[in-house]
Each structure stands twice: as structure tokens, then as C-alpha cells.
Amino acid sequence: MPASWEKNLRSIQAFYTKALREAKDPKNLETLRVEVLGRKGKLTLLLKDLKNCSLEERKRLGPLANQLKDQLESLIQEKRENLTAADLKAKLETPSLFDPSLPGASFRQGHSHPLTQTMNQMTEILAQQGFSWAEGPLIESDYYNFEALNFLPDHPARDMQDTFYISSKFEVRSSKLKEEDQQPRTSHLEPRTGLLLRTHTSPVQIRKMESSRPPLRIMAPGRVFRHEAVDASHSAVFHQIEGLYVDRQVSMADLKGTLQIFMQSLFGSSTEIRFRPSYFPFTEPSAEVDVQCLFCQGGGCTVCKKSGWLEMLGAGLVHPNVLKQVGYDPETWSGFAFGIGVERVTMLLLGIQDIRMFYENDVRFLEQF
Ligand code: FA5
């Protein structure tokens, strides 16, 4: 046994020393390495076979095998380095197809959508005024979208003309909302799911007041949906930013001052705003706020329909019924709220005359901003 074992060792040495030296490329080198030194390689198996020799023989033959193993390993290492260097040299010497005199390939740099840019600008100003970020679901319950906001059961805003209701097929997928929210709270509603696409960002007011104690000051940007005819200034899907401030003795003067600073930061320090009496079930008194037309500086033009003013937002002092609904004592707490249309602001800022441009994804339009 030791004689044949030693003979095997010598033949492995002779064969692989030569083969490794003559290996032509890294792949060939790797095949040889596995053949001789791999887990089932010839030398590896021979080493395992040593256990069948006597102790004396093992002492003599073991070092011989380990010596050969070291020798083959360093041969492989050396050969690998040579082959890599040769490969690199060959690549460098091959004439390149790269022509540095050709003009570079141009690429289009992306940027955020104009609506996102305005939204960021608006929320940054509000953050400076102390409003913190809040969000609510796009699929809302009738309760948060209407009932808690003091809409009477027969208020026209609940009508199918304005609101996208969710059909019962969707009910199983609406698990994010509390189970009780899925039940219609008002008797006049058809027994649908009690769910709808929110028509404004005002439900976030309720959600936020329910989960926090006053005082609070939040802004809630997001998408809203209305079942209405689309034209140059109306879209069925658009964006609003809600503002809500609740504290002791909040007045219309606070609302006016906040909006004045907000609008002047957005449109320029000489911007005029005006309040017009209006009606929202969840504010009392309520107002619609117009900004002086930036296109004609109030002189009257086609954009402002000769009025000199453009409607931007709805606002008012939070109705005591809304405060009661969320467990705030209206004798102690008062607040103001407002909801601004982001598309309308963007149109004014960028001089865009048709709201539909925002949703057509025409790169020629989008890359201008
Ligand atoms: C509301 O949605 C109220 N939730 C606003 C509010 C909040 C009042 C808090 C009081 C207190 P209104 O329906 O007027 O109000 O919409 C507010 C703004 O959204 C409008 O001034 C307008 O800028 C924008 N807007 C309304 N409808 C559309 C539409 N179809 N397309 C684009 N923008 C719209």
C-alpha cells in the first residue's frame, strides 16, 4: 500500500505540475484546480487514504503530500495572476471601438411634477407657521367625510352628483377602516358600504382631533375626489391642503392673519386677499377667500372673468357642533380651519389656464417646470 500510494502521489505531481503550468486560460486553470485539490480531487482523496497506512508510514508520507499540496496551490496562484495580467494586456492592446470625439449620449433629467412642487412650497410655508403634517385615508366613511363635520342628512353635498360612493363589492377590501365606519350612519343613504372617496381633506380634522388633545395646529395635504363635470378649472380628482388650528380664543383675525402671511409668502408680498361670506356646515362663520388676480393685478381679465379676484380656498371658524363631536368643550376651545385647492394655486403661480394639463402626462408640458 505505501508503495502504490507514493507512486500515485508522484504521478499526480508530475501530471498536474505540467498541466497547471500549461493552462491556457482562467477557466482551464479552475478545472484543473478542482480536479486535483477540490473536495473530491485526486490529491484530496489520496490524503484521506493515508489513514489506512501505519503510523510510521503516515509520519513519512503525510509531509510529502502536504508539501505537494502547498506546491500546487502556489503554482495555481502564480498562474492565475499571470493569466489575469495577460488578459488585461490583450484587452488594452485590442483597438477600441470607443470614439472620444463623438458627442455624448443625451439623457433627460426627471423632476417632480408641478403639483408636487407647489404642494412642497405650500407645506413648507405652513410648517414655518407652526403647522405639523397630518394625513388621512382617501377612502373615507360617511361619518368622517360628512356626519362628524355637521352635514345634515339631506345636505346636497352627499348627493350622488358630488360623491363617489364605494359599491359593496369593495367592502371586503376596506379592512383598514374601523368596522363601525363601514356602516352607514344616516338613514337616507342607500345601504351601500358607507364608504366613499373623500370629497375634501376636512375629514382629517376629525381624525386628528379625535386622537389628540387641544391645542393643535395641523396641515393635511392630499388627493380628493368629486363626481363632477371636468372643465378648464374643475377636475374630478384634485388636491387640497387642509389647515386646522384649535386653541383658546382663536378668532377670525387669527385666520385672516395666517392666510394673509401664507398667501403673501406664496404669491409675493404685495398680494391682496379678500374674504367673502360663504357657507360650510363645519365652520361658522364661513368664508371663501379670493386672491387678487396676478395676471391683471385686479384690473379684470379673462382668467378672473373680469372680477379682478380668483377663488382659492374655503375657510372659517370651527363650528361648535364639530368640536362637541370630538369631545372638545366649545366653551373652552375654538379654532379656525381652511381648505386650499392645490391645482388652482399652481395654475396661478405658473400661469396655466387649463387644469387638465396636469393630468395628461405630456412631457413637453411637464418639462417646462
Ligand atoms: C371645501 O372643500 C372645504 N372642505 C374647504 C374648507 C375647509 C372650508 C375647512 C372651511 C374649513 P370647496 O368645495 O370650496 O371647500 O373647495 C375648496 C377649494 O378646492 C376651492 O376653493 C378650490 O380651490 C378647490 N376646488 C374645489 N373643487 C375643485 C375642482 N373640482 N377642481 C379643482 N379644484 C377644486
Side-chain angles (χ1 to χ4, degrees):
M1 154 86 184
S4 65
W5 192 95
E6 205 170 339
K7 196 169 156 226
N8 271 345
L9 185 76
R10 293 294 163 216
S11 75
I12 289 172
Q13 181 175 32
F15 179 82
Y16 283 99
T17 314
K18 185 166 181 289
L20 289 170
R21 281 205 181 106
E22 287 170 2
K24 295 211 165 30
D25 51 47
K27 202 172 159 212
N28 179 216
L29 184 69
E30 179 61 12
T31 311
L32 291 167
R33 186 194 69 77
V34 173
E35 253 178 54
V36 63
L37 295 177
R39 228 158 32 94
K40 291 186 181 159
K42 292 196 171 113
L43 185 58
T44 315
L45 295 179
L46 198 65
L47 269 162
K48 281 188 188 155
D49 213 24
L50 259 186
K51 65 177 180 300
N52 300 324
C53 299
S54 67
L55 184 63
E56 284 296 291
E57 291 299 332
R58 283 210 299 270
K59 276 188 185 165
R60 188 176 69 81
L61 297 174
L64 285 182
N66 283 327
Q67 221 176 355
L68 177 60
K69 193 174 169 210
D70 291 347
Q71 185 194 339
L72 293 179
E73 274 172 353
S74 49
L75 192 58
I76 290 167
Q77 177 64 18
E78 190 188 327
K79 188 73 188 176
R80 191 177 287 137
E81 281 164 17
N82 288 346
L83 286 173
T84 313
D87 190 40
L88 182 64
K89 190 164 176 271
K91 272 190 189 143
L92 289 173
E93 280 169 1
T94 312
S96 166
L97 293 177
F98 175 66
D99 179 354
S101 65
L102 284 174
S106 65
F107 63 94
R108 282 181 167 171
Q109 195 173 3
H111 61 74
S112 48
H113 192 278
L115 288 176
T116 311
Q117 291 175 26
T118 314
M119 191 106 90
N120 290 344
Q121 210 177 330
M122 292 165 80
T123 51
E124 252 168 52
I125 298 169
L126 288 170
Q128 281 163 11
Q129 292 180 282
F131 289 84
S132 57
W133 192 278
E135 279 176 40
L138 304 186
I139 297 175
E140 259 303 359
S141 63
D142 179 86
Y143 175 73
Y144 284 110
N145 198 77
F146 292 129
E147 192 182 328
L149 286 162
N150 200 33
F151 280 81
L152 293 173
D154 54 355
H155 194 279
R158 293 178 180 225
D159 197 273
M160 283 289 288
Q161 294 300 311
D162 301 309
T163 309
F164 289 110
Y165 285 94
I166 308 276
S167 74
S168 53
K169 263 197 220 155
F170 196 81
E171 197 165 26
V172 285
R173 292 200 263 140
S174 58
S175 55
K176 266 195 177 166
L177 293 168
K178 286 186 266 170
E179 209 171 281
E180 72 218 42
D181 297 338
Q182 299 184 16
Q183 305 307 319
R185 302 249 182 149
T186 44
S187 54
H188 83 293
L189 281 174
E190 286 173 40
R192 298 187 195 94
T193 58
L195 294 176
L196 44 85
L197 296 183
R198 68 178 182 186
T199 57
H200 52 175
T201 43
S202 300
V204 187
Q205 286 186 35
I206 304 296
R207 289 185 174 274
K208 200 65 201 177
M209 285 193 282
E210 271 182 354
S211 62
S212 11
R213 298 309 308 156
L216 60 93
R217 198 194 300 242
I218 54 128
M219 58 176 154
R223 208 176 309 162
V224 301
F225 309 84
R226 289 193 194 171
H227 191 262
E228 58 179 67
V230 172
D231 62 23
S233 54
H234 292 84
S235 174
V237 181
F238 59 101
H239 297 79
Q240 290 186 338
I241 298 184
E242 192 81 5
L244 170 72
Y245 173 45
V246 181
D247 208 330
R248 292 170 205 274
Q249 296 179 337
V250 176
S251 69
M252 278 303 264
D254 297 309
L255 172 62
K256 228 174 160 176
T258 303
L259 289 177
Q260 180 94 34
I261 292 172
F262 176 73
M263 290 301 184
Q264 289 183 344
S265 310
L266 202 55
F267 295 114
S269 53
S270 57
T271 309
E272 298 280 336
I273 63 170
R274 76 170 182 190
F275 277 52
R276 272 182 297 110
S278 185
Y279 172 75
F280 296 102
F282 41 97
T283 47
E284 179 57 38
S286 302
E288 269 176 331
V289 182
D290 301 335
V291 175
Q292 197 175 47
C293 180
L294 297 184
F295 297 101
C296 61
Q297 262 71 43
C301 65
T302 47
V303 178
C304 61
K305 301 199 179 87
K306 306 277 177 212
S307 70
W309 298 93
L310 290 163
E311 185 214 309
M312 283 294 126
L313 61 112
L317 294 187
V318 182
H319 197 291
N321 287 352
V322 173
L323 294 173
K324 274 189 224 152
Q325 192 73 20
V326 294
Y328 288 9
D329 179 2
E331 297 298 324
T332 313
W333 302 105
S334 51
F336 68 64
F338 56 87
I340 313 178
V342 178
E343 278 75 357
R344 300 270 170 88
V345 170
T346 314
M347 288 168 82
L348 196 54
L349 274 176
L350 303 179
I352 295 160
Q353 308 232 344
D354 194 321
I355 200 167
R356 288 168 286 204
M357 306 286 280
F358 291 127
Y359 312 109
E360 282 167 359
N361 280 333
D362 184 338
V363 181
R364 290 166 305 175
F365 167 74
L366 294 174
E367 67 188 0
Q368 293 174 46
F369 308 104

